[in-house]
Amino acid sequence: MDDRSHRADSRALKADDGARALNDDQRYAVAWRSLRARRWAVGILVLAGLPVVIGALRLLPEGPGQVAVAGGWMALFVASMIWMAAFRCPCCARFFWWTWTRRNPFAQKCLHCGTPAGATPSDASTMAGASEPLPVRRAYRL
């Protein structure tokens, strides 16, 4: 899937209740694609960024060049971690990885409602022995 169609999906997801609004299956698919993109961004920054920074520290002369490379990498890493942490569960629309009392960036399910990553709306509504389907909140935003 190319970047333009992903942006179109995201714009349609943000539409309130217009003709461009997505159904639940599409909304979940867009959310899980966004989650994968966020995880990949952090992983690439960690795996590729550290060798680049270490190489720059060894190759560049001491001074502002080293500070710029290391500082730039740190800023990108912090921004990508914040972007990853801001992911919202497509089922309950709360932050997927953190609550007021718990934080777990490696969690494979929502810390609020327990929806597993990659679940479909039918999986999410019948999980954890729920006697009735969970309500789907329409306030989800990327």
PDB file of all heavy atoms in Angstrom, residues 95-133:
ATOM      1  N   PHE A  95      -5.307   5.517  25.405  1.00  0.00           N
ATOM      2  CA  PHE A  95      -3.920   5.209  25.070  1.00  0.00           C
ATOM      3  C   PHE A  95      -3.657   3.721  25.253  1.00  0.00           C
ATOM      4  O   PHE A  95      -3.969   3.139  26.294  1.00  0.00           O
ATOM      5  CB  PHE A  95      -2.953   6.032  25.911  1.00  0.00           C
ATOM      6  CG  PHE A  95      -2.988   7.492  25.576  1.00  0.00           C
ATOM      7  CD1 PHE A  95      -3.438   8.414  26.486  1.00  0.00           C
ATOM      8  CD2 PHE A  95      -2.572   7.926  24.335  1.00  0.00           C
ATOM      9  CE1 PHE A  95      -3.484   9.752  26.173  1.00  0.00           C
ATOM     10  CE2 PHE A  95      -2.609   9.265  24.004  1.00  0.00           C
ATOM     11  CZ  PHE A  95      -3.072  10.183  24.924  1.00  0.00           C
ATOM     12  N   PHE A  96      -3.085   3.095  24.234  1.00  0.00           N
ATOM     13  CA  PHE A  96      -2.889   1.650  24.196  1.00  0.00           C
ATOM     14  C   PHE A  96      -1.891   1.174  25.244  1.00  0.00           C
ATOM     15  O   PHE A  96      -2.094   0.149  25.872  1.00  0.00           O
ATOM     16  CB  PHE A  96      -2.401   1.266  22.786  1.00  0.00           C
ATOM     17  CG  PHE A  96      -2.452  -0.200  22.488  1.00  0.00           C
ATOM     18  CD1 PHE A  96      -3.639  -0.812  22.148  1.00  0.00           C
ATOM     19  CD2 PHE A  96      -1.296  -0.956  22.507  1.00  0.00           C
ATOM     20  CE1 PHE A  96      -3.684  -2.164  21.840  1.00  0.00           C
ATOM     21  CE2 PHE A  96      -1.324  -2.311  22.201  1.00  0.00           C
ATOM     22  CZ  PHE A  96      -2.525  -2.908  21.872  1.00  0.00           C
ATOM     23  N   TRP A  97      -0.788   1.935  25.428  1.00  0.00           N
ATOM     24  CA  TRP A  97       0.315   1.456  26.248  1.00  0.00           C
ATOM     25  C   TRP A  97       0.431   2.053  27.627  1.00  0.00           C
ATOM     26  O   TRP A  97       1.328   1.701  28.363  1.00  0.00           O
ATOM     27  CB  TRP A  97       1.641   1.710  25.537  1.00  0.00           C
ATOM     28  CG  TRP A  97       1.900   0.721  24.466  1.00  0.00           C
ATOM     29  CD1 TRP A  97       1.983  -0.623  24.603  1.00  0.00           C
ATOM     30  CD2 TRP A  97       2.114   0.992  23.103  1.00  0.00           C
ATOM     31  NE1 TRP A  97       2.229  -1.206  23.398  1.00  0.00           N
ATOM     32  CE2 TRP A  97       2.321  -0.228  22.453  1.00  0.00           C
ATOM     33  CE3 TRP A  97       2.153   2.156  22.355  1.00  0.00           C
ATOM     34  CZ2 TRP A  97       2.564  -0.334  21.114  1.00  0.00           C
ATOM     35  CZ3 TRP A  97       2.400   2.050  21.004  1.00  0.00           C
ATOM     36  CH2 TRP A  97       2.595   0.816  20.407  1.00  0.00           C
ATOM     37  N   TRP A  98      -0.428   2.988  27.989  1.00  0.00           N
ATOM     38  CA  TRP A  98      -0.255   3.556  29.318  1.00  0.00           C
ATOM     39  C   TRP A  98      -1.564   4.014  29.926  1.00  0.00           C
ATOM     40  O   TRP A  98      -2.487   4.402  29.255  1.00  0.00           O
ATOM     41  CB  TRP A  98       0.787   4.658  29.346  1.00  0.00           C
ATOM     42  CG  TRP A  98       0.570   5.836  28.447  1.00  0.00           C
ATOM     43  CD1 TRP A  98       0.870   5.910  27.124  1.00  0.00           C
ATOM     44  CD2 TRP A  98       0.030   7.098  28.793  1.00  0.00           C
ATOM     45  NE1 TRP A  98       0.561   7.139  26.631  1.00  0.00           N
ATOM     46  CE2 TRP A  98       0.047   7.893  27.635  1.00  0.00           C
ATOM     47  CE3 TRP A  98      -0.460   7.646  29.976  1.00  0.00           C
ATOM     48  CZ2 TRP A  98      -0.419   9.191  27.622  1.00  0.00           C
ATOM     49  CZ3 TRP A  98      -0.916   8.948  29.963  1.00  0.00           C
ATOM     50  CH2 TRP A  98      -0.887   9.693  28.797  1.00  0.00           C
ATOM     51  N   THR A  99      -1.583   3.902  31.258  1.00  0.00           N
ATOM     52  CA  THR A  99      -2.680   4.409  32.080  1.00  0.00           C
ATOM     53  C   THR A  99      -2.038   5.356  33.093  1.00  0.00           C
ATOM     54  O   THR A  99      -0.838   5.609  33.057  1.00  0.00           O
ATOM     55  CB  THR A  99      -3.392   3.259  32.818  1.00  0.00           C
ATOM     56  OG1 THR A  99      -2.501   2.680  33.756  1.00  0.00           O
ATOM     57  CG2 THR A  99      -3.873   2.188  31.854  1.00  0.00           C
ATOM     58  N   TRP A 100      -2.825   5.831  34.038  1.00  0.00           N
ATOM     59  CA  TRP A 100      -2.247   6.704  35.070  1.00  0.00           C
ATOM     60  C   TRP A 100      -1.260   5.943  35.944  1.00  0.00           C
ATOM     61  O   TRP A 100      -0.325   6.516  36.485  1.00  0.00           O
ATOM     62  CB  TRP A 100      -3.345   7.304  35.942  1.00  0.00           C
ATOM     63  CG  TRP A 100      -4.052   8.424  35.261  1.00  0.00           C
ATOM     64  CD1 TRP A 100      -5.297   8.384  34.691  1.00  0.00           C
ATOM     65  CD2 TRP A 100      -3.558   9.737  35.035  1.00  0.00           C
ATOM     66  NE1 TRP A 100      -5.594   9.600  34.129  1.00  0.00           N
ATOM     67  CE2 TRP A 100      -4.540  10.449  34.335  1.00  0.00           C
ATOM     68  CE3 TRP A 100      -2.379  10.394  35.358  1.00  0.00           C
ATOM     69  CZ2 TRP A 100      -4.379  11.770  33.961  1.00  0.00           C
ATOM     70  CZ3 TRP A 100      -2.227  11.716  34.984  1.00  0.00           C
ATOM     71  CH2 TRP A 100      -3.225  12.387  34.296  1.00  0.00           C
ATOM     72  N   THR A 101      -1.472   4.654  36.106  1.00  0.00           N
ATOM     73  CA  THR A 101      -0.632   3.886  37.035  1.00  0.00           C
ATOM     74  C   THR A 101       0.330   2.921  36.348  1.00  0.00           C
ATOM     75  O   THR A 101       1.257   2.460  36.988  1.00  0.00           O
ATOM     76  CB  THR A 101      -1.518   3.082  38.005  1.00  0.00           C
ATOM     77  OG1 THR A 101      -2.381   2.227  37.238  1.00  0.00           O
ATOM     78  CG2 THR A 101      -2.352   4.011  38.862  1.00  0.00           C
ATOM     79  N   ARG A 102       0.087   2.582  35.083  1.00  0.00           N
ATOM     80  CA  ARG A 102       0.942   1.601  34.405  1.00  0.00           C
ATOM     81  C   ARG A 102       1.397   2.114  33.059  1.00  0.00           C
ATOM     82  O   ARG A 102       0.656   2.797  32.365  1.00  0.00           O
ATOM     83  CB  ARG A 102       0.171   0.294  34.170  1.00  0.00           C
ATOM     84  CG  ARG A 102      -0.229  -0.418  35.415  1.00  0.00           C
ATOM     85  CD  ARG A 102      -0.869  -1.740  35.102  1.00  0.00           C
ATOM     86  NE  ARG A 102      -2.072  -1.540  34.304  1.00  0.00           N
ATOM     87  CZ  ARG A 102      -2.708  -2.502  33.683  1.00  0.00           C
ATOM     88  NH1 ARG A 102      -2.270  -3.732  33.755  1.00  0.00           N
ATOM     89  NH2 ARG A 102      -3.784  -2.264  32.977  1.00  0.00           N
ATOM     90  N   ARG A 103       2.617   1.718  32.691  1.00  0.00           N
ATOM     91  CA  ARG A 103       3.165   2.019  31.370  1.00  0.00           C
ATOM     92  C   ARG A 103       3.912   0.783  30.890  1.00  0.00           C
ATOM     93  O   ARG A 103       4.740   0.254  31.615  1.00  0.00           O
ATOM     94  CB  ARG A 103       4.122   3.202  31.441  1.00  0.00           C
ATOM     95  CG  ARG A 103       3.423   4.513  31.618  1.00  0.00           C
ATOM     96  CD  ARG A 103       4.363   5.550  32.185  1.00  0.00           C
ATOM     97  NE  ARG A 103       3.660   6.731  32.627  1.00  0.00           N
ATOM     98  CZ  ARG A 103       3.038   6.848  33.799  1.00  0.00           C
ATOM     99  NH1 ARG A 103       3.032   5.862  34.639  1.00  0.00           N
ATOM    100  NH2 ARG A 103       2.424   7.962  34.123  1.00  0.00           N
ATOM    101  N   ASN A 104       3.612   0.343  29.682  1.00  0.00           N
ATOM    102  CA  ASN A 104       4.282  -0.823  29.137  1.00  0.00           C
ATOM    103  C   ASN A 104       4.344  -0.705  27.617  1.00  0.00           C
ATOM    104  O   ASN A 104       3.411  -1.096  26.926  1.00  0.00           O
ATOM    105  CB  ASN A 104       3.557  -2.110  29.538  1.00  0.00           C
ATOM    106  CG  ASN A 104       4.274  -3.336  29.054  1.00  0.00           C
ATOM    107  OD1 ASN A 104       5.325  -3.264  28.429  1.00  0.00           O
ATOM    108  ND2 ASN A 104       3.708  -4.498  29.329  1.00  0.00           N
ATOM    109  N   PRO A 105       5.454  -0.167  27.082  1.00  0.00           N
ATOM    110  CA  PRO A 105       5.539  -0.008  25.627  1.00  0.00           C
ATOM    111  C   PRO A 105       5.675  -1.330  24.878  1.00  0.00           C
ATOM    112  O   PRO A 105       5.630  -1.341  23.655  1.00  0.00           O
ATOM    113  CB  PRO A 105       6.783   0.862  25.440  1.00  0.00           C
ATOM    114  CG  PRO A 105       7.592   0.642  26.656  1.00  0.00           C
ATOM    115  CD  PRO A 105       6.623   0.363  27.768  1.00  0.00           C
ATOM    116  N   PHE A 106       5.820  -2.439  25.581  1.00  0.00           N
ATOM    117  CA  PHE A 106       5.930  -3.750  24.949  1.00  0.00           C
ATOM    118  C   PHE A 106       4.639  -4.547  25.055  1.00  0.00           C
ATOM    119  O   PHE A 106       4.597  -5.711  24.659  1.00  0.00           O
ATOM    120  CB  PHE A 106       7.078  -4.547  25.569  1.00  0.00           C
ATOM    121  CG  PHE A 106       8.388  -3.823  25.492  1.00  0.00           C
ATOM    122  CD1 PHE A 106       8.948  -3.256  26.615  1.00  0.00           C
ATOM    123  CD2 PHE A 106       9.047  -3.684  24.283  1.00  0.00           C
ATOM    124  CE1 PHE A 106      10.147  -2.568  26.550  1.00  0.00           C
ATOM    125  CE2 PHE A 106      10.243  -2.995  24.202  1.00  0.00           C
ATOM    126  CZ  PHE A 106      10.798  -2.437  25.335  1.00  0.00           C
ATOM    127  N   ALA A 107       3.578  -3.939  25.580  1.00  0.00           N
ATOM    128  CA  ALA A 107       2.306  -4.642  25.762  1.00  0.00           C
ATOM    129  C   ALA A 107       1.752  -5.076  24.411  1.00  0.00           C
ATOM    130  O   ALA A 107       1.843  -4.349  23.421  1.00  0.00           O
ATOM    131  CB  ALA A 107       1.301  -3.745  26.471  1.00  0.00           C
ATOM    132  N   GLN A 108       1.182  -6.256  24.370  1.00  0.00           N
ATOM    133  CA  GLN A 108       0.586  -6.775  23.151  1.00  0.00           C
ATOM    134  C   GLN A 108      -0.932  -6.628  23.161  1.00  0.00           C
ATOM    135  O   GLN A 108      -1.604  -7.067  22.241  1.00  0.00           O
ATOM    136  CB  GLN A 108       0.962  -8.248  22.973  1.00  0.00           C
ATOM    137  CG  GLN A 108       2.431  -8.453  22.727  1.00  0.00           C
ATOM    138  CD  GLN A 108       2.874  -7.788  21.437  1.00  0.00           C
ATOM    139  OE1 GLN A 108       2.273  -7.964  20.391  1.00  0.00           O
ATOM    140  NE2 GLN A 108       3.931  -6.991  21.517  1.00  0.00           N
ATOM    141  N   LYS A 109      -1.466  -6.019  24.231  1.00  0.00           N
ATOM    142  CA  LYS A 109      -2.899  -5.747  24.293  1.00  0.00           C
ATOM    143  C   LYS A 109      -3.111  -4.435  25.027  1.00  0.00           C
ATOM    144  O   LYS A 109      -2.246  -3.968  25.778  1.00  0.00           O
ATOM    145  CB  LYS A 109      -3.645  -6.885  24.977  1.00  0.00           C
ATOM    146  CG  LYS A 109      -3.244  -7.124  26.406  1.00  0.00           C
ATOM    147  CD  LYS A 109      -4.004  -8.300  26.980  1.00  0.00           C
ATOM    148  CE  LYS A 109      -3.597  -8.517  28.431  1.00  0.00           C
ATOM    149  NZ  LYS A 109      -4.355  -9.580  29.039  1.00  0.00           N
ATOM    150  N   CYS A 110      -4.259  -3.828  24.795  1.00  0.00           N
ATOM    151  CA  CYS A 110      -4.590  -2.540  25.394  1.00  0.00           C
ATOM    152  C   CYS A 110      -4.617  -2.671  26.918  1.00  0.00           C
ATOM    153  O   CYS A 110      -5.209  -3.615  27.454  1.00  0.00           O
ATOM    154  CB  CYS A 110      -5.946  -2.068  24.881  1.00  0.00           C
ATOM    155  SG  CYS A 110      -6.515  -0.522  25.618  1.00  0.00           S
ATOM    156  N   LEU A 111      -3.992  -1.740  27.614  1.00  0.00           N
ATOM    157  CA  LEU A 111      -3.973  -1.789  29.068  1.00  0.00           C
ATOM    158  C   LEU A 111      -5.307  -1.372  29.679  1.00  0.00           C
ATOM    159  O   LEU A 111      -5.523  -1.563  30.870  1.00  0.00           O
ATOM    160  CB  LEU A 111      -2.849  -0.905  29.612  1.00  0.00           C
ATOM    161  CG  LEU A 111      -1.429  -1.332  29.252  1.00  0.00           C
ATOM    162  CD1 LEU A 111      -0.412  -0.362  29.831  1.00  0.00           C
ATOM    163  CD2 LEU A 111      -1.148  -2.741  29.733  1.00  0.00           C
ATOM    164  N   HIS A 112      -6.211  -0.832  28.875  1.00  0.00           N
ATOM    165  CA  HIS A 112      -7.522  -0.423  29.381  1.00  0.00           C
ATOM    166  C   HIS A 112      -8.581  -1.498  29.151  1.00  0.00           C
ATOM    167  O   HIS A 112      -9.235  -1.938  30.095  1.00  0.00           O
ATOM    168  CB  HIS A 112      -7.971   0.882  28.724  1.00  0.00           C
ATOM    169  CG  HIS A 112      -7.125   2.048  29.080  1.00  0.00           C
ATOM    170  ND1 HIS A 112      -7.269   2.750  30.248  1.00  0.00           N
ATOM    171  CD2 HIS A 112      -6.110   2.635  28.431  1.00  0.00           C
ATOM    172  CE1 HIS A 112      -6.382   3.721  30.302  1.00  0.00           C
ATOM    173  NE2 HIS A 112      -5.657   3.668  29.199  1.00  0.00           N
ATOM    174  N   CYS A 113      -8.751  -1.897  27.888  1.00  0.00           N
ATOM    175  CA  CYS A 113      -9.844  -2.829  27.571  1.00  0.00           C
ATOM    176  C   CYS A 113      -9.364  -4.236  27.248  1.00  0.00           C
ATOM    177  O   CYS A 113     -10.174  -5.151  27.151  1.00  0.00           O
ATOM    178  CB  CYS A 113     -10.675  -2.289  26.408  1.00  0.00           C
ATOM    179  SG  CYS A 113      -9.802  -2.258  24.824  1.00  0.00           S
ATOM    180  N   GLY A 114      -8.054  -4.425  27.053  1.00  0.00           N
ATOM    181  CA  GLY A 114      -7.517  -5.756  26.786  1.00  0.00           C
ATOM    182  C   GLY A 114      -7.579  -6.194  25.332  1.00  0.00           C
ATOM    183  O   GLY A 114      -7.316  -7.354  25.038  1.00  0.00           O
ATOM    184  N   THR A 115      -7.926  -5.299  24.420  1.00  0.00           N
ATOM    185  CA  THR A 115      -7.967  -5.655  23.001  1.00  0.00           C
ATOM    186  C   THR A 115      -6.563  -6.002  22.525  1.00  0.00           C
ATOM    187  O   THR A 115      -5.650  -5.195  22.646  1.00  0.00           O
ATOM    188  CB  THR A 115      -8.505  -4.480  22.157  1.00  0.00           C
ATOM    189  OG1 THR A 115      -9.810  -4.154  22.611  1.00  0.00           O
ATOM    190  CG2 THR A 115      -8.543  -4.840  20.687  1.00  0.00           C
ATOM    191  N   PRO A 116      -6.352  -7.219  21.995  1.00  0.00           N
ATOM    192  CA  PRO A 116      -5.012  -7.575  21.514  1.00  0.00           C
ATOM    193  C   PRO A 116      -4.657  -6.826  20.234  1.00  0.00           C
ATOM    194  O   PRO A 116      -5.538  -6.504  19.434  1.00  0.00           O
ATOM    195  CB  PRO A 116      -5.110  -9.078  21.263  1.00  0.00           C
ATOM    196  CG  PRO A 116      -6.548  -9.412  21.226  1.00  0.00           C
ATOM    197  CD  PRO A 116      -7.302  -8.318  21.898  1.00  0.00           C
ATOM    198  N   ALA A 117      -3.375  -6.538  20.065  1.00  0.00           N
ATOM    199  CA  ALA A 117      -2.908  -5.870  18.853  1.00  0.00           C
ATOM    200  C   ALA A 117      -3.233  -6.742  17.651  1.00  0.00           C
ATOM    201  O   ALA A 117      -3.000  -7.949  17.659  1.00  0.00           O
ATOM    202  CB  ALA A 117      -1.413  -5.612  18.938  1.00  0.00           C
ATOM    203  N   GLY A 118      -3.785  -6.162  16.614  1.00  0.00           N
ATOM    204  CA  GLY A 118      -4.143  -6.886  15.409  1.00  0.00           C
ATOM    205  C   GLY A 118      -5.538  -7.472  15.423  1.00  0.00           C
ATOM    206  O   GLY A 118      -5.937  -8.138  14.470  1.00  0.00           O
ATOM    207  N   ALA A 119      -6.300  -7.227  16.463  1.00  0.00           N
ATOM    208  CA  ALA A 119      -7.651  -7.787  16.568  1.00  0.00           C
ATOM    209  C   ALA A 119      -8.595  -7.112  15.578  1.00  0.00           C
ATOM    210  O   ALA A 119      -8.393  -5.972  15.186  1.00  0.00           O
ATOM    211  CB  ALA A 119      -8.189  -7.620  17.981  1.00  0.00           C
ATOM    212  N   THR A 120      -9.619  -7.842  15.194  1.00  0.00           N
ATOM    213  CA  THR A 120     -10.686  -7.277  14.374  1.00  0.00           C
ATOM    214  C   THR A 120     -11.813  -6.849  15.303  1.00  0.00           C
ATOM    215  O   THR A 120     -11.820  -7.222  16.477  1.00  0.00           O
ATOM    216  CB  THR A 120     -11.200  -8.319  13.367  1.00  0.00           C
ATOM    217  OG1 THR A 120     -11.728  -9.425  14.095  1.00  0.00           O
ATOM    218  CG2 THR A 120     -10.090  -8.771  12.431  1.00  0.00           C
ATOM    219  N   PRO A 121     -12.791  -6.089  14.824  1.00  0.00           N
ATOM    220  CA  PRO A 121     -13.886  -5.683  15.699  1.00  0.00           C
ATOM    221  C   PRO A 121     -14.625  -6.862  16.320  1.00  0.00           C
ATOM    222  O   PRO A 121     -15.031  -6.815  17.484  1.00  0.00           O
ATOM    223  CB  PRO A 121     -14.804  -4.882  14.786  1.00  0.00           C
ATOM    224  CG  PRO A 121     -13.929  -4.385  13.712  1.00  0.00           C
ATOM    225  CD  PRO A 121     -12.884  -5.437  13.523  1.00  0.00           C
ATOM    226  N   SER A 122     -14.784  -7.955  15.587  1.00  0.00           N
ATOM    227  CA  SER A 122     -15.479  -9.115  16.153  1.00  0.00           C
ATOM    228  C   SER A 122     -14.630  -9.782  17.241  1.00  0.00           C
ATOM    229  O   SER A 122     -15.168 -10.246  18.241  1.00  0.00           O
ATOM    230  CB  SER A 122     -15.834 -10.119  15.068  1.00  0.00           C
ATOM    231  OG  SER A 122     -14.666 -10.567  14.415  1.00  0.00           O
ATOM    232  N   ASP A 123     -13.297  -9.804  17.062  1.00  0.00           N
ATOM    233  CA  ASP A 123     -12.412 -10.346  18.099  1.00  0.00           C
ATOM    234  C   ASP A 123     -12.482  -9.488  19.353  1.00  0.00           C
ATOM    235  O   ASP A 123     -12.557  -9.993  20.467  1.00  0.00           O
ATOM    236  CB  ASP A 123     -10.951 -10.375  17.641  1.00  0.00           C
ATOM    237  CG  ASP A 123     -10.708 -11.322  16.493  1.00  0.00           C
ATOM    238  OD1 ASP A 123     -11.538 -12.235  16.285  1.00  0.00           O
ATOM    239  OD2 ASP A 123      -9.697 -11.140  15.805  1.00  0.00           O
ATOM    240  N   ALA A 124     -12.443  -8.178  19.176  1.00  0.00           N
ATOM    241  CA  ALA A 124     -12.413  -7.261  20.308  1.00  0.00           C
ATOM    242  C   ALA A 124     -13.709  -7.296  21.089  1.00  0.00           C
ATOM    243  O   ALA A 124     -13.708  -7.159  22.311  1.00  0.00           O
ATOM    244  CB  ALA A 124     -12.140  -5.839  19.826  1.00  0.00           C
ATOM    245  N   SER A 125     -14.841  -7.491  20.407  1.00  0.00           N
ATOM    246  CA  SER A 125     -16.118  -7.447  21.113  1.00  0.00           C
ATOM    247  C   SER A 125     -16.398  -8.729  21.888  1.00  0.00           C
ATOM    248  O   SER A 125     -17.175  -8.723  22.833  1.00  0.00           O
ATOM    249  CB  SER A 125     -17.253  -7.175  20.133  1.00  0.00           C
ATOM    250  OG  SER A 125     -17.384  -8.253  19.240  1.00  0.00           O
ATOM    251  N   THR A 126     -15.757  -9.835  21.525  1.00  0.00           N
ATOM    252  CA  THR A 126     -16.029 -11.096  22.207  1.00  0.00           C
ATOM    253  C   THR A 126     -14.879 -11.566  23.086  1.00  0.00           C
ATOM    254  O   THR A 126     -14.920 -12.662  23.606  1.00  0.00           O
ATOM    255  CB  THR A 126     -16.341 -12.199  21.176  1.00  0.00           C
ATOM    256  OG1 THR A 126     -15.227 -12.326  20.313  1.00  0.00           O
ATOM    257  CG2 THR A 126     -17.584 -11.870  20.399  1.00  0.00           C
ATOM    258  N   MET A 127     -13.866 -10.743  23.258  1.00  0.00           N
ATOM    259  CA  MET A 127     -12.695 -11.165  24.023  1.00  0.00           C
ATOM    260  C   MET A 127     -12.972 -11.170  25.516  1.00  0.00           C
ATOM    261  O   MET A 127     -13.903 -10.560  25.999  1.00  0.00           O
ATOM    262  CB  MET A 127     -11.531 -10.249  23.726  1.00  0.00           C
ATOM    263  CG  MET A 127     -11.871  -8.860  24.091  1.00  0.00           C
ATOM    264  SD  MET A 127     -10.469  -7.843  24.085  1.00  0.00           S
ATOM    265  CE  MET A 127     -11.109  -6.640  25.199  1.00  0.00           C
ATOM    266  N   ALA A 128     -12.120 -11.842  26.230  1.00  0.00           N
ATOM    267  CA  ALA A 128     -12.132 -11.880  27.686  1.00  0.00           C
ATOM    268  C   ALA A 128     -13.478 -12.306  28.252  1.00  0.00           C
ATOM    269  O   ALA A 128     -13.863 -11.889  29.332  1.00  0.00           O
ATOM    270  CB  ALA A 128     -11.726 -10.525  28.257  1.00  0.00           C
ATOM    271  N   GLY A 129     -14.203 -13.122  27.514  1.00  0.00           N
ATOM    272  CA  GLY A 129     -15.450 -13.662  28.032  1.00  0.00           C
ATOM    273  C   GLY A 129     -16.541 -12.624  28.221  1.00  0.00           C
ATOM    274  O   GLY A 129     -17.397 -12.773  29.082  1.00  0.00           O
ATOM    275  N   ALA A 130     -16.525 -11.571  27.456  1.00  0.00           N
ATOM    276  CA  ALA A 130     -17.550 -10.541  27.586  1.00  0.00           C
ATOM    277  C   ALA A 130     -18.903 -11.143  27.233  1.00  0.00           C
ATOM    278  O   ALA A 130     -19.051 -11.843  26.253  1.00  0.00           O
ATOM    279  CB  ALA A 130     -17.237  -9.369  26.671  1.00  0.00           C
ATOM    280  N   SER A 131     -19.897 -10.891  28.075  1.00  0.00           N
ATOM    281  CA  SER A 131     -21.217 -11.453  27.843  1.00  0.00           C
ATOM    282  C   SER A 131     -21.938 -10.730  26.712  1.00  0.00           C
ATOM    283  O   SER A 131     -22.818 -11.286  26.082  1.00  0.00           O
ATOM    284  CB  SER A 131     -22.048 -11.385  29.117  1.00  0.00           C
ATOM    285  OG  SER A 131     -22.137 -10.044  29.553  1.00  0.00           O
ATOM    286  N   GLU A 132     -21.587  -9.478  26.468  1.00  0.00           N
ATOM    287  CA  GLU A 132     -22.167  -8.738  25.359  1.00  0.00           C
ATOM    288  C   GLU A 132     -21.058  -7.970  24.658  1.00  0.00           C
ATOM    289  O   GLU A 132     -20.029  -7.675  25.258  1.00  0.00           O
ATOM    290  CB  GLU A 132     -23.252  -7.792  25.856  1.00  0.00           C
ATOM    291  CG  GLU A 132     -22.759  -6.781  26.863  1.00  0.00           C
ATOM    292  CD  GLU A 132     -23.905  -5.963  27.442  1.00  0.00           C
ATOM    293  OE1 GLU A 132     -24.869  -6.553  27.907  1.00  0.00           O
ATOM    294  OE2 GLU A 132     -23.797  -4.732  27.391  1.00  0.00           O
ATOM    295  N   PRO A 133     -21.238  -7.639  23.405  1.00  0.00           N
ATOM    296  CA  PRO A 133     -20.176  -6.925  22.682  1.00  0.00           C
ATOM    297  C   PRO A 133     -19.848  -5.594  23.349  1.00  0.00           C
ATOM    298  O   PRO A 133     -20.710  -4.911  23.886  1.00  0.00           O
ATOM    299  CB  PRO A 133     -20.772  -6.703  21.290  1.00  0.00           C
ATOM    300  CG  PRO A 133     -21.861  -7.697  21.166  1.00  0.00           C
ATOM    301  CD  PRO A 133     -22.374  -7.950  22.549  1.00  0.00           C
TER     302      PRO A 133
END
